[in-house]
PDB file of all heavy atoms in Angstrom:
ATOM      1  N   LEU B  35      46.990  40.889  33.894  1.00 73.00           N
ATOM      2  CA  LEU B  35      47.020  40.322  32.553  1.00 73.00           C
ATOM      3  C   LEU B  35      48.403  40.544  31.948  1.00 73.00           C
ATOM      4  O   LEU B  35      48.968  39.643  31.323  1.00 73.00           O
ATOM      5  CB  LEU B  35      45.927  40.950  31.676  1.00 73.00           C
ATOM      6  CG  LEU B  35      45.922  40.475  30.219  1.00 73.00           C
ATOM      7  CD1 LEU B  35      45.693  38.974  30.144  1.00 73.00           C
ATOM      8  CD2 LEU B  35      44.858  41.199  29.414  1.00 73.00           C
ATOM      9  N   ALA B  36      48.960  41.753  32.127  1.00 86.00           N
ATOM     10  CA  ALA B  36      50.281  42.050  31.578  1.00 86.00           C
ATOM     11  C   ALA B  36      51.315  41.074  32.132  1.00 86.00           C
ATOM     12  O   ALA B  36      52.108  40.502  31.380  1.00 86.00           O
ATOM     13  CB  ALA B  36      50.662  43.496  31.899  1.00 86.00           C
ATOM     14  N   GLU B  37      51.317  40.847  33.451  1.00 92.00           N
ATOM     15  CA  GLU B  37      52.273  39.912  34.049  1.00 92.00           C
ATOM     16  C   GLU B  37      52.005  38.486  33.580  1.00 92.00           C
ATOM     17  O   GLU B  37      52.920  37.685  33.446  1.00 92.00           O
ATOM     18  CB  GLU B  37      52.211  39.966  35.584  1.00 92.00           C
ATOM     19  CG  GLU B  37      52.907  41.156  36.209  1.00 92.00           C
ATOM     20  CD  GLU B  37      54.426  41.166  36.014  1.00 92.00           C
ATOM     21  OE1 GLU B  37      55.046  40.096  36.118  1.00 92.00           O
ATOM     22  OE2 GLU B  37      54.956  42.244  35.738  1.00 92.00           O
ATOM     23  N   ALA B  38      50.737  38.167  33.375  1.00 92.00           N
ATOM     24  CA  ALA B  38      50.397  36.812  32.945  1.00 92.00           C
ATOM     25  C   ALA B  38      50.983  36.516  31.575  1.00 92.00           C
ATOM     26  O   ALA B  38      51.361  35.384  31.279  1.00 92.00           O
ATOM     27  CB  ALA B  38      48.874  36.629  32.925  1.00 92.00           C
ATOM     28  N   VAL B  39      51.062  37.547  30.737  1.00 90.00           N
ATOM     29  CA  VAL B  39      51.499  37.337  29.355  1.00 90.00           C
ATOM     30  C   VAL B  39      52.987  37.637  29.193  1.00 90.00           C
ATOM     31  O   VAL B  39      53.705  36.920  28.495  1.00 90.00           O
ATOM     32  CB  VAL B  39      50.644  38.204  28.406  1.00 90.00           C
ATOM     33  CG1 VAL B  39      51.149  38.093  26.975  1.00 90.00           C
ATOM     34  CG2 VAL B  39      49.181  37.778  28.501  1.00 90.00           C
ATOM     35  N   GLU B  40      53.446  38.692  29.867  1.00 92.00           N
ATOM     36  CA  GLU B  40      54.865  39.059  29.777  1.00 92.00           C
ATOM     37  C   GLU B  40      55.409  39.310  31.168  1.00 92.00           C
ATOM     38  O   GLU B  40      55.554  40.455  31.592  1.00 92.00           O
ATOM     39  CB  GLU B  40      55.032  40.328  28.934  1.00 92.00           C
ATOM     40  CG  GLU B  40      55.136  40.066  27.450  1.00 92.00           C
ATOM     41  CD  GLU B  40      55.537  41.330  26.692  1.00 92.00           C
ATOM     42  OE1 GLU B  40      56.729  41.668  26.686  1.00 92.00           O
ATOM     43  OE2 GLU B  40      54.640  41.989  26.145  1.00 92.00           O
ATOM     44  N   PRO B  41      55.736  38.247  31.877  1.00 95.00           N
ATOM     45  CA  PRO B  41      56.139  38.427  33.278  1.00 95.00           C
ATOM     46  C   PRO B  41      57.540  39.014  33.432  1.00 95.00           C
ATOM     47  O   PRO B  41      58.385  38.856  32.551  1.00 95.00           O
ATOM     48  CB  PRO B  41      56.103  36.996  33.819  1.00 95.00           C
ATOM     49  CG  PRO B  41      56.355  36.139  32.629  1.00 95.00           C
ATOM     50  CD  PRO B  41      55.696  36.831  31.482  1.00 95.00           C
ATOM     51  N   HIS B  42      57.731  39.671  34.585  1.00 94.00           N
ATOM     52  CA  HIS B  42      59.059  40.119  34.987  1.00 94.00           C
ATOM     53  C   HIS B  42      59.799  38.939  35.625  1.00 94.00           C
ATOM     54  O   HIS B  42      60.105  38.957  36.807  1.00 94.00           O
ATOM     55  CB  HIS B  42      58.954  41.259  36.007  1.00 94.00           C
ATOM     56  CG  HIS B  42      58.498  42.552  35.422  1.00 94.00           C
ATOM     57  ND1 HIS B  42      57.192  42.830  35.142  1.00 94.00           N
ATOM     58  CD2 HIS B  42      59.208  43.671  35.068  1.00 94.00           C
ATOM     59  CE1 HIS B  42      57.085  44.056  34.650  1.00 94.00           C
ATOM     60  NE2 HIS B  42      58.291  44.585  34.584  1.00 94.00           N
ATOM     61  N   SER B  43      60.035  37.895  34.884  1.00 96.00           N
ATOM     62  CA  SER B  43      60.640  36.676  35.414  1.00 96.00           C
ATOM     63  C   SER B  43      61.279  35.911  34.276  1.00 96.00           C
ATOM     64  O   SER B  43      60.959  36.125  33.104  1.00 96.00           O
ATOM     65  CB  SER B  43      59.579  35.748  36.038  1.00 96.00           C
ATOM     66  OG  SER B  43      59.185  36.180  37.299  1.00 96.00           O
ATOM     67  N   GLN B  44      62.124  34.969  34.638  1.00 97.00           N
ATOM     68  CA  GLN B  44      62.541  33.961  33.675  1.00 97.00           C
ATOM     69  C   GLN B  44      61.322  33.074  33.378  1.00 97.00           C
ATOM     70  O   GLN B  44      60.462  32.901  34.232  1.00 97.00           O
ATOM     71  CB  GLN B  44      63.648  33.081  34.260  1.00 97.00           C
ATOM     72  CG  GLN B  44      64.884  33.858  34.706  1.00 97.00           C
ATOM     73  CD  GLN B  44      65.864  32.980  35.458  1.00 97.00           C
ATOM     74  OE1 GLN B  44      66.555  32.161  34.866  1.00 97.00           O
ATOM     75  NE2 GLN B  44      65.906  33.142  36.782  1.00 97.00           N
ATOM     76  N   VAL B  45      61.298  32.512  32.178  1.00 98.00           N
ATOM     77  CA  VAL B  45      60.218  31.572  31.870  1.00 98.00           C
ATOM     78  C   VAL B  45      60.794  30.305  31.245  1.00 98.00           C
ATOM     79  O   VAL B  45      61.808  30.354  30.537  1.00 98.00           O
ATOM     80  CB  VAL B  45      59.153  32.166  30.904  1.00 98.00           C
ATOM     81  CG1 VAL B  45      58.391  33.293  31.568  1.00 98.00           C
ATOM     82  CG2 VAL B  45      59.786  32.630  29.612  1.00 98.00           C
ATOM     83  N   ALA B  46      60.154  29.200  31.538  1.00 98.00           N
ATOM     84  CA  ALA B  46      60.485  27.930  30.880  1.00 98.00           C
ATOM     85  C   ALA B  46      59.252  27.535  30.083  1.00 98.00           C
ATOM     86  O   ALA B  46      58.163  27.422  30.650  1.00 98.00           O
ATOM     87  CB  ALA B  46      60.816  26.864  31.912  1.00 98.00           C
ATOM     88  N   VAL B  47      59.440  27.366  28.787  1.00 98.00           N
ATOM     89  CA  VAL B  47      58.312  27.015  27.927  1.00 98.00           C
ATOM     90  C   VAL B  47      58.381  25.519  27.604  1.00 98.00           C
ATOM     91  O   VAL B  47      59.439  25.009  27.235  1.00 98.00           O
ATOM     92  CB  VAL B  47      58.345  27.846  26.622  1.00 98.00           C
ATOM     93  CG1 VAL B  47      57.175  27.443  25.715  1.00 98.00           C
ATOM     94  CG2 VAL B  47      58.286  29.340  26.935  1.00 98.00           C
ATOM     95  N   PHE B  48      57.263  24.848  27.805  1.00 98.00           N
ATOM     96  CA  PHE B  48      57.172  23.422  27.500  1.00 98.00           C
ATOM     97  C   PHE B  48      56.250  23.261  26.300  1.00 98.00           C
ATOM     98  O   PHE B  48      55.054  23.543  26.408  1.00 98.00           O
ATOM     99  CB  PHE B  48      56.669  22.643  28.721  1.00 98.00           C
ATOM    100  CG  PHE B  48      57.609  22.748  29.887  1.00 98.00           C
ATOM    101  CD1 PHE B  48      57.526  23.822  30.768  1.00 98.00           C
ATOM    102  CD2 PHE B  48      58.613  21.810  30.072  1.00 98.00           C
ATOM    103  CE1 PHE B  48      58.418  23.940  31.827  1.00 98.00           C
ATOM    104  CE2 PHE B  48      59.513  21.927  31.135  1.00 98.00           C
ATOM    105  CZ  PHE B  48      59.423  22.996  32.012  1.00 98.00           C
ATOM    106  N   ASP B  49      56.818  22.847  25.191  1.00 96.00           N
ATOM    107  CA  ASP B  49      56.046  22.826  23.946  1.00 96.00           C
ATOM    108  C   ASP B  49      55.324  21.491  23.770  1.00 96.00           C
ATOM    109  O   ASP B  49      55.232  20.696  24.705  1.00 96.00           O
ATOM    110  CB  ASP B  49      56.965  23.144  22.760  1.00 96.00           C
ATOM    111  CG  ASP B  49      58.059  22.100  22.593  1.00 96.00           C
ATOM    112  OD1 ASP B  49      57.925  20.986  23.185  1.00 96.00           O
ATOM    113  OD2 ASP B  49      59.051  22.380  21.898  1.00 96.00           O
ATOM    114  N   GLY B  50      54.818  21.295  22.593  1.00 94.00           N
ATOM    115  CA  GLY B  50      54.013  20.103  22.313  1.00 94.00           C
ATOM    116  C   GLY B  50      54.719  18.790  22.611  1.00 94.00           C
ATOM    117  O   GLY B  50      54.065  17.755  22.801  1.00 94.00           O
ATOM    118  N   SER B  51      56.047  18.810  22.658  1.00 97.00           N
ATOM    119  CA  SER B  51      56.781  17.567  22.925  1.00 97.00           C
ATOM    120  C   SER B  51      56.759  17.186  24.395  1.00 97.00           C
ATOM    121  O   SER B  51      57.139  16.082  24.762  1.00 97.00           O
ATOM    122  CB  SER B  51      58.237  17.707  22.464  1.00 97.00           C
ATOM    123  OG  SER B  51      58.921  18.642  23.294  1.00 97.00           O
ATOM    124  N   GLN B  52      56.336  18.127  25.246  1.00 97.00           N
ATOM    125  CA  GLN B  52      56.323  17.849  26.693  1.00 97.00           C
ATOM    126  C   GLN B  52      54.982  18.253  27.309  1.00 97.00           C
ATOM    127  O   GLN B  52      54.909  19.209  28.078  1.00 97.00           O
ATOM    128  CB  GLN B  52      57.447  18.617  27.392  1.00 97.00           C
ATOM    129  CG  GLN B  52      58.843  18.067  27.107  1.00 97.00           C
ATOM    130  CD  GLN B  52      59.888  18.857  27.867  1.00 97.00           C
ATOM    131  OE1 GLN B  52      60.198  19.996  27.521  1.00 97.00           O
ATOM    132  NE2 GLN B  52      60.399  18.268  28.934  1.00 97.00           N
ATOM    133  N   PRO B  53      53.918  17.558  26.963  1.00 98.00           N
ATOM    134  CA  PRO B  53      52.614  17.909  27.546  1.00 98.00           C
ATOM    135  C   PRO B  53      52.570  17.548  29.033  1.00 98.00           C
ATOM    136  O   PRO B  53      53.305  16.672  29.484  1.00 98.00           O
ATOM    137  CB  PRO B  53      51.630  17.055  26.758  1.00 98.00           C
ATOM    138  CG  PRO B  53      52.434  15.864  26.334  1.00 98.00           C
ATOM    139  CD  PRO B  53      53.828  16.374  26.094  1.00 98.00           C
ATOM    140  N   LEU B  54      51.708  18.264  29.751  1.00 98.00           N
ATOM    141  CA  LEU B  54      51.512  17.971  31.177  1.00 98.00           C
ATOM    142  C   LEU B  54      50.232  17.149  31.324  1.00 98.00           C
ATOM    143  O   LEU B  54      49.143  17.607  30.956  1.00 98.00           O
ATOM    144  CB  LEU B  54      51.387  19.283  31.961  1.00 98.00           C
ATOM    145  CG  LEU B  54      51.152  19.144  33.458  1.00 98.00           C
ATOM    146  CD1 LEU B  54      52.401  18.623  34.168  1.00 98.00           C
ATOM    147  CD2 LEU B  54      50.734  20.476  34.064  1.00 98.00           C
ATOM    148  N   ALA B  55      50.368  15.953  31.868  1.00 97.00           N
ATOM    149  CA  ALA B  55      49.198  15.093  32.102  1.00 97.00           C
ATOM    150  C   ALA B  55      48.523  15.572  33.386  1.00 97.00           C
ATOM    151  O   ALA B  55      49.114  15.503  34.462  1.00 97.00           O
ATOM    152  CB  ALA B  55      49.624  13.643  32.238  1.00 97.00           C
ATOM    153  N   MET B  56      47.308  16.085  33.265  1.00 97.00           N
ATOM    154  CA  MET B  56      46.645  16.703  34.417  1.00 97.00           C
ATOM    155  C   MET B  56      45.708  15.724  35.128  1.00 97.00           C
ATOM    156  O   MET B  56      45.201  14.775  34.545  1.00 97.00           O
ATOM    157  CB  MET B  56      45.900  17.959  33.968  1.00 97.00           C
ATOM    158  CG  MET B  56      46.848  19.001  33.366  1.00 97.00           C
ATOM    159  SD  MET B  56      46.005  20.504  32.849  1.00 97.00           S
ATOM    160  CE  MET B  56      45.752  21.329  34.429  1.00 97.00           C
ATOM    161  N   THR B  57      45.456  16.001  36.393  1.00 97.00           N
ATOM    162  CA  THR B  57      44.590  15.146  37.211  1.00 97.00           C
ATOM    163  C   THR B  57      43.207  15.007  36.589  1.00 97.00           C
ATOM    164  O   THR B  57      42.581  13.954  36.669  1.00 97.00           O
ATOM    165  CB  THR B  57      44.454  15.728  38.632  1.00 97.00           C
ATOM    166  OG1 THR B  57      45.747  15.991  39.147  1.00 97.00           O
ATOM    167  CG2 THR B  57      43.718  14.766  39.547  1.00 97.00           C
ATOM    168  N   ALA B  58      42.727  16.086  35.965  1.00 96.00           N
ATOM    169  CA  ALA B  58      41.378  16.079  35.397  1.00 96.00           C
ATOM    170  C   ALA B  58      41.268  15.158  34.187  1.00 96.00           C
ATOM    171  O   ALA B  58      40.188  15.012  33.622  1.00 96.00           O
ATOM    172  CB  ALA B  58      40.960  17.506  35.033  1.00 96.00           C
ATOM    173  N   GLY B  59      42.407  14.546  33.760  1.00 96.00           N
ATOM    174  CA  GLY B  59      42.338  13.564  32.689  1.00 96.00           C
ATOM    175  C   GLY B  59      42.668  14.127  31.320  1.00 96.00           C
ATOM    176  O   GLY B  59      42.485  13.437  30.310  1.00 96.00           O
ATOM    177  N   VAL B  60      43.116  15.366  31.258  1.00 96.00           N
ATOM    178  CA  VAL B  60      43.461  15.973  29.973  1.00 96.00           C
ATOM    179  C   VAL B  60      44.949  16.339  29.986  1.00 96.00           C
ATOM    180  O   VAL B  60      45.596  16.305  31.027  1.00 96.00           O
ATOM    181  CB  VAL B  60      42.614  17.233  29.700  1.00 96.00           C
ATOM    182  CG1 VAL B  60      41.157  16.846  29.532  1.00 96.00           C
ATOM    183  CG2 VAL B  60      42.781  18.254  30.818  1.00 96.00           C
ATOM    184  N   SER B  61      45.466  16.693  28.806  1.00 97.00           N
ATOM    185  CA  SER B  61      46.856  17.140  28.709  1.00 97.00           C
ATOM    186  C   SER B  61      46.875  18.635  28.458  1.00 97.00           C
ATOM    187  O   SER B  61      46.018  19.161  27.737  1.00 97.00           O
ATOM    188  CB  SER B  61      47.555  16.442  27.537  1.00 97.00           C
ATOM    189  OG  SER B  61      47.966  15.155  27.921  1.00 97.00           O
ATOM    190  N   LEU B  62      47.846  19.303  29.047  1.00 98.00           N
ATOM    191  CA  LEU B  62      48.023  20.732  28.798  1.00 98.00           C
ATOM    192  C   LEU B  62      49.299  20.894  27.992  1.00 98.00           C
ATOM    193  O   LEU B  62      50.376  20.458  28.414  1.00 98.00           O
ATOM    194  CB  LEU B  62      48.123  21.498  30.125  1.00 98.00           C
ATOM    195  CG  LEU B  62      48.213  23.024  30.009  1.00 98.00           C
ATOM    196  CD1 LEU B  62      46.920  23.601  29.442  1.00 98.00           C
ATOM    197  CD2 LEU B  62      48.514  23.643  31.371  1.00 98.00           C
ATOM    198  N   SER B  63      49.164  21.558  26.848  1.00 97.00           N
ATOM    199  CA  SER B  63      50.342  21.765  26.010  1.00 97.00           C
ATOM    200  C   SER B  63      50.012  22.830  24.980  1.00 97.00           C
ATOM    201  O   SER B  63      48.933  22.752  24.379  1.00 97.00           O
ATOM    202  CB  SER B  63      50.738  20.464  25.315  1.00 97.00           C
ATOM    203  OG  SER B  63      51.864  20.667  24.499  1.00 97.00           O
ATOM    204  N   PRO B  64      50.870  23.794  24.702  1.00 97.00           N
ATOM    205  CA  PRO B  64      52.077  24.081  25.467  1.00 97.00           C
ATOM    206  C   PRO B  64      51.730  24.753  26.790  1.00 97.00           C
ATOM    207  O   PRO B  64      50.587  25.170  26.986  1.00 97.00           O
ATOM    208  CB  PRO B  64      52.808  25.075  24.544  1.00 97.00           C
ATOM    209  CG  PRO B  64      51.707  25.789  23.832  1.00 97.00           C
ATOM    210  CD  PRO B  64      50.617  24.775  23.641  1.00 97.00           C
ATOM    211  N   PHE B  65      52.694  24.839  27.666  1.00 98.00           N
ATOM    212  CA  PHE B  65      52.500  25.643  28.883  1.00 98.00           C
ATOM    213  C   PHE B  65      53.825  26.258  29.297  1.00 98.00           C
ATOM    214  O   PHE B  65      54.899  25.841  28.832  1.00 98.00           O
ATOM    215  CB  PHE B  65      51.876  24.810  30.010  1.00 98.00           C
ATOM    216  CG  PHE B  65      52.802  23.781  30.610  1.00 98.00           C
ATOM    217  CD1 PHE B  65      53.476  24.047  31.799  1.00 98.00           C
ATOM    218  CD2 PHE B  65      52.985  22.550  30.006  1.00 98.00           C
ATOM    219  CE1 PHE B  65      54.323  23.104  32.364  1.00 98.00           C
ATOM    220  CE2 PHE B  65      53.841  21.605  30.552  1.00 98.00           C
ATOM    221  CZ  PHE B  65      54.515  21.876  31.741  1.00 98.00           C
ATOM    222  N   THR B  66      53.720  27.260  30.133  1.00 98.00           N
ATOM    223  CA  THR B  66      54.869  28.069  30.517  1.00 98.00           C
ATOM    224  C   THR B  66      54.962  28.126  32.031  1.00 98.00           C
ATOM    225  O   THR B  66      53.936  28.196  32.704  1.00 98.00           O
ATOM    226  CB  THR B  66      54.693  29.506  29.952  1.00 98.00           C
ATOM    227  OG1 THR B  66      54.598  29.415  28.534  1.00 98.00           O
ATOM    228  CG2 THR B  66      55.855  30.408  30.350  1.00 98.00           C
ATOM    229  N   ILE B  67      56.172  28.084  32.557  1.00 98.00           N
ATOM    230  CA  ILE B  67      56.378  28.311  33.994  1.00 98.00           C
ATOM    231  C   ILE B  67      57.266  29.536  34.162  1.00 98.00           C
ATOM    232  O   ILE B  67      58.358  29.596  33.582  1.00 98.00           O
ATOM    233  CB  ILE B  67      57.033  27.092  34.679  1.00 98.00           C
ATOM    234  CG1 ILE B  67      56.134  25.860  34.524  1.00 98.00           C
ATOM    235  CG2 ILE B  67      57.280  27.382  36.155  1.00 98.00           C
ATOM    236  CD1 ILE B  67      56.685  24.624  35.209  1.00 98.00           C
ATOM    237  N   ALA B  68      56.782  30.498  34.920  1.00 98.00           N
ATOM    238  CA  ALA B  68      57.580  31.688  35.238  1.00 98.00           C
ATOM    239  C   ALA B  68      58.205  31.470  36.606  1.00 98.00           C
ATOM    240  O   ALA B  68      57.529  31.018  37.531  1.00 98.00           O
ATOM    241  CB  ALA B  68      56.691  32.926  35.238  1.00 98.00           C
ATOM    242  N   TYR B  69      59.488  31.784  36.733  1.00 98.00           N
ATOM    243  CA  TYR B  69      60.161  31.488  38.007  1.00 98.00           C
ATOM    244  C   TYR B  69      61.281  32.478  38.265  1.00 98.00           C
ATOM    245  O   TYR B  69      61.785  33.139  37.358  1.00 98.00           O
ATOM    246  CB  TYR B  69      60.701  30.055  37.991  1.00 98.00           C
ATOM    247  CG  TYR B  69      61.794  29.791  36.974  1.00 98.00           C
ATOM    248  CD1 TYR B  69      63.128  29.732  37.357  1.00 98.00           C
ATOM    249  CD2 TYR B  69      61.477  29.614  35.625  1.00 98.00           C
ATOM    250  CE1 TYR B  69      64.129  29.504  36.427  1.00 98.00           C
ATOM    251  CE2 TYR B  69      62.479  29.381  34.683  1.00 98.00           C
ATOM    252  CZ  TYR B  69      63.799  29.327  35.087  1.00 98.00           C
ATOM    253  OH  TYR B  69      64.787  29.110  34.167  1.00 98.00           O
TER     254      TYR B  69
END
Side-chain angles (χ1 to χ4, degrees):
Chain B
L35 177 61
E37 283 294 319
V39 175
E40 274 190 79
H42 288 79
S43 282
Q44 302 172 74
V45 293
V47 179
F48 298 86
D49 63 16
S51 68
Q52 288 182 287
L54 179 71
M56 299 181 77
T57 309
V60 294
S61 279
L62 184 66
S63 179
F65 71 99
T66 300
I67 300 182
Y69 65 102

